[in-house]
Amino acid sequence: MAFMALFGWIFIPIILLYYILQLFMAPLVWAAEHQTAVSVMAAGLLALNLLILVLLLRVRKRRKQARRAGRTRKGTVVLTLAALWEAWTVFCCAAFLIIQPLRFLPEHAGEMLDTDENWYGTWTVTGVQATAPGCTQTQEETDALTGTSVTYEETQFFSCGERWGLVYMEYKRVFAWKGDFSREYGIELEDLGVGDRLGMWCVTLNPSKKTEEADPLGLKLYMLDEDTALLYRRGVFFRAERTETVPIPKESVQPQPPDPNAPAWLGTWTVTDCLGTAPEEPMDPELIEKTVGAELNYWEGSVLFLREDFGGGAGDPEYTESEMTPESFAEAYGVSLEDLGVEADVYLHMEMKVQASEPFFEDLGGRFLLLDGETMVLCCEGAFFRAEKTS
């Protein structure tokens, strides 16, 4: 917040510069895509201005003759300036037609203006586009990744059939300029075999700690065009083509447990109803209404919460479990299990902590009572909710 207060003004000229560049580049890119039409217009302007130049020169000549005869003294200077302007215009149009400067414009020059989030979907690796110096992957590893798929969704990331956690499910996008590739990878952009261009949009995922250590394919990609991308991993640029996006089954959202004894709370849970509110400082009824129907996703490497008005996630959650009796529950939360319509018994109580603390994890999802493998009670700030496991 302090940084934004001190240096937030810097973003204002950056935004203005972007829109000024967009105003300049948009017609330039259009002209590059319609060179024949632009040449015809330039030829028309050349002919028109050449005709105007001839007329101006004739009028100027007559004025000079009249001036020598003493019939007039005004208008010669204005005609001279107008003739010089038309001569300059004729020269520019002729030079444009002869040189054809649009052919020197780099290919895909207008891609840096494209701000569509078009990386979402399923991408299938078709082969290796290029290998940078210092590659740390073996030939067997690169061969094994050929034919695999990576799927990007707004809140999920799947690589080679496995779901990986992201911190806040964040995609960061920057425009990678031509010189960035030699500085970062020791390889020229032309060596990637993508033609002459200014650069490419680069999309990087913000992974959880566990995901970063595993380094799955797809954490960084470069957009070649709408249907082609380069997936970078450990010195190798894999070429990937967009394939038909097949909706991922709901059960695949929950990672497959490595053994039958995996914790029962891992998975996707949906809030079904409110069991009651705290006797002191109950939750606002509007928040209760928005919370019913919310979705909670607990995974080993990350956690995701989606509610009607907002949502978010965090990486590397720490789960602490303990047994809770009816007496200890009433002492901790100020309400009995019977008041909530829950049978009095000893239950497993979970408390979750995340590295980047977010308010909604303290209000919802950070503490819960596991009644059985399919039902839990969410112990929130001022309210208690029932959640059912989604299969």
Side-chain angles (χ1 to χ4, degrees):
M1 293 299 292
F3 174 84
M4 289 300 296
L6 291 174
F7 303 102
W9 61 270
I10 297 177
F11 294 99
I12 297 176
I14 292 176
I15 294 172
L16 292 176
L17 182 62
Y18 168 79
Y19 283 108
I20 292 173
L21 181 63
Q22 190 175 38
L23 289 174
F24 172 76
M25 287 292 295
L28 188 61
V29 171
W30 181 91
E33 295 174 351
H34 304 82
Q35 294 189 37
T36 303
V38 174
S39 297
V40 171
M41 289 187 288
L45 289 173
L46 174 62
L48 176 63
N49 286 276
L50 186 60
L51 177 60
I52 295 174
L53 176 61
V54 172
L55 293 174
L56 287 173
L57 291 176
R58 292 184 64 180
V59 173
R60 181 176 178 274
K61 183 178 180 180
R62 292 177 181 176
R63 286 292 182 94
K64 289 181 68 174
Q65 292 174 349
R67 183 179 179 184
R68 291 193 187 100
R71 294 194 297 268
T72 182
R73 294 183 180 180
K74 298 180 179 180
T76 306
V77 176
V78 176
L79 287 173
T80 301
L81 293 176
L84 289 174
W85 173 260
E86 291 300 326
W88 170 252
T89 305
V90 169
F91 172 78
C92 291
C93 292
F96 177 86
L97 291 172
I98 294 172
I99 301 175
Q100 291 292 322
L102 291 176
R103 61 193 175 97
F104 299 108
L105 193 66
E107 185 182 4
H108 308 291
E111 284 188 356
M112 62 176 297
L113 301 178
D114 181 16
T115 57
D116 292 336
E117 297 178 346
N118 56 353
W119 61 84
Y120 291 130
T122 300
W123 301 81
T124 300
V125 178
T126 58
V128 176
Q129 184 81 3
T131 302
C135 171
T136 59
Q137 292 190 94
T138 64
Q139 187 63 44
E140 290 76 11
E141 286 180 302
T142 57
D143 292 342
L145 291 173
T146 302
T148 58
S149 296
V150 177
T151 299
Y152 300 100
E153 295 185 353
E154 188 175 357
T155 59
Q156 304 176 74
F157 161 57
F158 293 82
S159 177
C160 304
E162 186 172 0
R163 183 200 171 278
W164 294 94
L166 305 179
V167 178
Y168 306 120
M169 303 298 160
E170 185 178 4
Y171 293 86
K172 296 181 179 179
R173 180 184 56 189
V174 297
F175 190 82
W177 296 93
K178 198 172 183 178
D180 295 338
F181 290 86
S182 58
R183 288 191 295 269
E184 186 171 356
Y185 306 114
I187 187 172
E188 298 298 329
L189 183 59
E190 291 80 0
D191 297 334
L192 294 177
V194 297
D196 185 19
R197 55 172 70 203
L198 296 175
M200 293 182 288
W201 279 109
C202 176
V203 181
T204 57
L205 281 64
N206 188 14
S208 62
K209 183 177 180 181
K210 184 177 293 187
T211 306
E212 190 173 18
E213 292 174 351
D215 193 20
L217 179 66
L219 290 179
K220 177 179 285 191
L221 74 152
Y222 292 90
M223 297 295 301
L224 288 180
D225 52 53
E226 186 176 353
D227 297 314
T228 313
L230 297 181
L231 307 180
Y232 177 79
R233 179 179 184 268
R234 290 165 50 190
V236 179
F237 291 87
F238 294 91
R239 187 181 184 90
E241 305 291 338
R242 186 190 296 274
T243 57
E244 183 179 358
T245 303
V246 180
I248 298 176
K250 192 68 175 179
E251 54 267 20
S252 67
V253 174
Q254 176 181 339
Q256 295 298 322
D259 58 70
N261 298 321
W265 65 84
L266 292 181
T268 300
W269 300 79
T270 301
V271 179
T272 57
D273 59 317
C274 178
L275 300 178
T277 57
E280 298 181 1
E281 299 183 2
M283 181 179 289
D284 185 90
E286 184 178 354
L287 291 180
I288 293 177
E289 183 179 355
K290 291 181 178 180
T291 301
V292 174
E295 184 178 281
L296 289 162
N297 300 275
Y298 296 100
W299 297 298
E300 291 185 356
S302 62
V303 59
L304 173 65
F305 164 52
L306 299 174
R307 199 168 73 177
E308 181 181 338
D309 56 343
F310 62 87
D316 303 318
E318 296 181 3
Y319 298 98
T320 303
E321 61 179 68
S322 60
E323 287 189 346
M324 180 163 281
T325 64
E327 293 77 19
S328 58
F329 181 88
E331 182 179 353
Y333 295 108
V335 62
S336 66
L337 291 174
E338 291 87 346
D339 293 337
L340 300 178
V342 177
E343 181 181 355
D345 203 344
V346 178
Y347 297 104
L348 182 65
H349 181 264
M350 299 298 305
E351 186 170 357
M352 181 194 70
K353 294 182 179 180
V354 292
Q355 292 182 352
S357 179
E358 292 292 335
F360 47 77
F361 287 130
E362 298 176 0
D363 297 339
L364 178 65
R367 295 165 297 169
F368 55 89
L369 200 66
L370 197 65
L371 303 185
D372 52 50
E374 302 295 328
T375 311
M376 67 167 58
V377 175
L378 299 172
C379 308
C380 310
E381 293 291 336
F384 301 87
F385 296 92
R386 182 190 301 274
E388 303 291 340
K389 197 168 190 178
T390 305
S391 299

